[in-house]
Amino acid sequence: AFSLRHGGRRELSAQLPLRVIGTPSSGPPLTHLAAKYSDLWDLRYTELTNCKNERGDCNVSQRQGSLGEWVVTQRKNYKKGKLSDERIARLKSIGFVWDPQEQQWLDRFDELTKYKAENGDCNVRTASASAGEPIDEAWMARFDELVDFKNENADCNVPESQGSLGVWVRTQRTSYKEGNLSQERLDLLESVGFIREPADEAWMARFDELVDYKNENGDCSVPYNQGPLGKWVSKQRFFYKKGKLSDERIDFLESVGFEWVLREQTHTKSSWKFDEQWKTRFTELVKYLIEHGNCNVRRKFGPLYWWVGKQRQDYKDGRMSQFRIAYLDSIGFAWTMKRVGNEWLPDQYSEPDPKAIARIIEDERPGHDDLPSSAVEDPKTHVDVGRGVAEALQEYLDKDSLRHNS
């Protein structure tokens, strides 16, 4: 346990869990260096070791990009008991500080001891408290209120509606964004898990859930209908396709084996046949797209029209598997429609994704010649349907390429 005392202030609980956030980094992508989660850990550890050799300590601030975020994650995992003994030993070997606030208190105590030895008392003037911006009484009073809030609510996300403390929290975030927050104040805020960007903290919380899911299930293929995590995973694929996912977040996801286009999972015999029927309709839709230039199937096309409507309803109800969503997303399928005059048109147009289509073609195209005539019916059907999907998508890519080159 430790105490942060400033003019008789309250004690700060030693069991405050640090929250983790993830912010985009301007550095080079790490995907080629971190194909696995453990590789990413080793990479960050090497960066931290180099930092220690250059500056003499491991106190990397969160504002210093991905390495700072990683440092905070290690402290959080240590407090939760989720860090292996081997990693704990490696971090200790380079002088890693598990609790920055306790260390800061001890450092200040050493300074006070030195001051007393030189001056004969402990009556330190406020201006001498720090080489940087002084931590004034009013600011520290608000900080103490934030500590109390954290002890009661487990986080520092004080709503603005909660009076002066909420306004003060907003001011700290604004000061940070504008570069007006001193390092000493930032260190104090980070020591209690203050989140500079709550949206990023929420993203990292979901990422932690995904890592736990991967550890339990062996992959990151969370079903869409499996609560908030399933919907979050689907959104990451959508943002990736739209080019709206930062390199840092892509690195995090790919480091745990995240797949941007899902492969079809193994099914029972009956469900397997059901998926072959689905792919047959999907192939019809691709051919319609080739001929008409969109997926807005008109009523006169009968079964295909009703099938398209069912896909939108299944998606809305959360009953659609992610691999089907990925297949339809790849060809720019519109999930919602709106009435314009006497017609129903896409509420929001979506561009096809040639890279995703190419990956699906690779998955579906048979890797061998036709099966011998002695083969049972189901495998032959599987090969024929897969070939049909691959050929239709390839035809679409070829036609689309010609259209853009003409």
Side-chain angles (χ1 to χ4, degrees):
F2 60 88
S3 302
L4 176 64
R5 298 188 180 276
H6 188 91
R9 284 183 167 74
R10 305 171 185 85
E11 292 186 352
L12 179 63
S13 168
Q15 301 300 319
L16 296 179
L18 293 179
R19 302 287 292 277
V20 186
I21 69 172
T23 54
S25 170
S26 59
L30 299 173
T31 52
H32 64 293
L33 298 175
K36 298 179 180 178
Y37 196 51
S38 60
D39 293 338
L40 180 59
W41 195 95
D42 289 333
L43 178 63
R44 294 297 186 218
Y45 177 80
T46 301
E47 290 181 22
L48 183 62
T49 302
N50 293 337
C51 181
K52 166 72 181 294
N53 293 335
E54 291 177 5
R55 51 187 282 179
D57 61 53
C58 300
N59 299 327
V60 183
S61 169
Q62 272 187 313
R63 70 165 65 181
Q64 291 181 241
S66 54
L67 180 59
E69 306 297 349
W70 181 85
V71 164
V72 173
T73 301
Q74 306 318 299
R75 291 182 176 130
K76 184 192 77 167
N77 289 341
Y78 176 78
K79 288 192 175 185
K80 288 184 175 182
K82 296 170 65 175
L83 201 61
S84 69
D85 291 341
E86 184 263 341
R87 289 184 174 178
I88 291 174
R90 290 177 67 183
L91 288 168
K92 282 184 177 179
S93 70
I94 59 173
F96 190 82
V97 175
W98 300 107
D99 196 321
Q101 189 165 14
E102 182 178 18
Q103 186 63 46
Q104 185 180 55
W105 190 92
L106 293 172
D107 291 343
R108 289 289 181 258
F109 181 77
D110 289 341
E111 290 179 22
L112 180 61
T113 302
K114 182 178 179 181
Y115 180 92
K116 182 178 181 181
E118 294 176 356
N119 299 277
D121 59 49
C122 298
N123 302 323
V124 186
R125 292 185 178 183
T126 303
S128 302
S130 171
E133 178 185 347
I135 302 292
D136 59 64
E137 293 288 330
W139 193 94
M140 282 302 300
R142 289 295 183 211
F143 178 77
D144 284 341
E145 289 182 38
L146 180 64
V147 170
D148 289 341
F149 181 92
K150 172 70 178 281
N151 286 331
E152 294 177 6
N153 299 276
D155 62 47
C156 298
N157 299 325
V158 186
E160 277 194 59
S161 59
Q162 195 159 328
S164 56
L165 180 59
V167 175
W168 182 84
V169 165
R170 182 198 63 190
T171 301
Q172 306 316 302
R173 292 189 172 118
T174 302
S175 296
Y176 170 78
K177 289 180 181 179
E178 295 176 352
N180 296 327
L181 193 64
S182 71
Q183 186 62 48
E184 187 164 6
R185 290 183 175 182
L186 180 61
D187 289 342
L188 278 173
L189 290 168
E190 288 183 347
S191 72
V192 295
F194 185 81
I195 306 304
R196 297 165 294 162
E197 297 287 349
D200 287 331
E201 186 270 346
W203 192 95
M204 283 303 299
R206 289 290 181 222
F207 177 77
D208 286 342
E209 289 182 34
L210 180 63
V211 172
D212 291 340
Y213 181 93
K214 167 81 178 286
N215 292 335
E216 293 177 6
N217 298 276
D219 60 47
C220 300
S221 303
V222 186
Y224 180 80
N225 59 2
Q226 191 162 322
L229 181 60
K231 292 179 174 60
W232 180 85
V233 164
S234 180
K235 284 183 179 179
Q236 306 317 300
R237 293 191 173 98
F238 176 79
F239 290 143
Y240 176 81
K241 176 188 172 185
K242 296 293 185 181
K244 295 181 179 180
L245 201 61
S246 69
D247 289 342
E248 181 72 12
R249 291 184 174 182
I250 292 172
D251 290 339
F252 269 109
L253 290 167
E254 292 189 343
S255 73
V256 294
F258 192 87
E259 293 185 348
W260 301 109
V261 176
L262 288 179
R263 298 175 185 272
E264 183 181 1
Q265 300 176 351
T266 303
H267 303 280
T268 62
K269 184 174 181 180
S270 59
S271 65
W272 176 80
K273 286 186 175 181
F274 185 73
D275 279 328
E276 300 313 310
Q277 294 171 3
W278 188 91
K279 287 184 180 180
T280 299
R281 288 295 185 207
F282 175 76
T283 302
E284 292 179 28
L285 180 61
V286 175
K287 291 179 179 178
Y288 181 95
L289 172 63
I290 293 171
E291 183 176 350
H292 297 88
N294 59 61
C295 297
N296 307 331
V297 182
R298 298 182 179 276
R299 187 185 293 268
K300 68 178 182 180
F301 286 88
L304 183 60
Y305 169 82
W306 295 111
W307 181 85
V308 166
K310 186 177 186 304
Q311 307 316 299
R312 293 192 174 105
Q313 190 62 48
D314 286 349
Y315 178 83
K316 180 180 178 181
D317 295 341
R319 298 197 306 262
M320 179 172 284
S321 69
Q322 288 203 28
F323 103 85
R324 291 184 178 182
I325 294 173
Y327 273 46
L328 289 167
D329 274 343
S330 73
I331 60 173
F333 187 80
W335 295 106
T336 57
M337 307 289 283
K338 63 180 178 181
R339 181 182 289 276
V340 179
N342 295 324
E343 291 186 285
W344 284 92
L345 298 175
D347 186 40
Q348 183 177 0
Y349 281 92
S350 179
E351 290 295 324
D353 185 348
K355 291 183 179 179
I357 292 175
R359 286 192 290 266
I360 294 173
I361 292 174
E362 183 179 354
D363 288 342
E364 293 289 349
R365 180 179 288 140
H368 51 76
D369 295 332
D370 290 342
L371 293 171
S373 58
S374 59
V376 294
E377 181 180 354
D378 284 351
K380 289 174 65 177
T381 302
H382 179 76
V383 169
D384 290 343
V385 171
R387 181 184 293 107
V389 172
E391 289 176 352
L393 289 173
Q394 187 63 58
E395 182 181 353
Y396 170 74
L397 283 183
D398 294 342
K399 183 175 181 179
D400 192 58
S401 177
L402 287 173
R403 180 172 61 84
H404 281 92
N405 292 332
S406 59

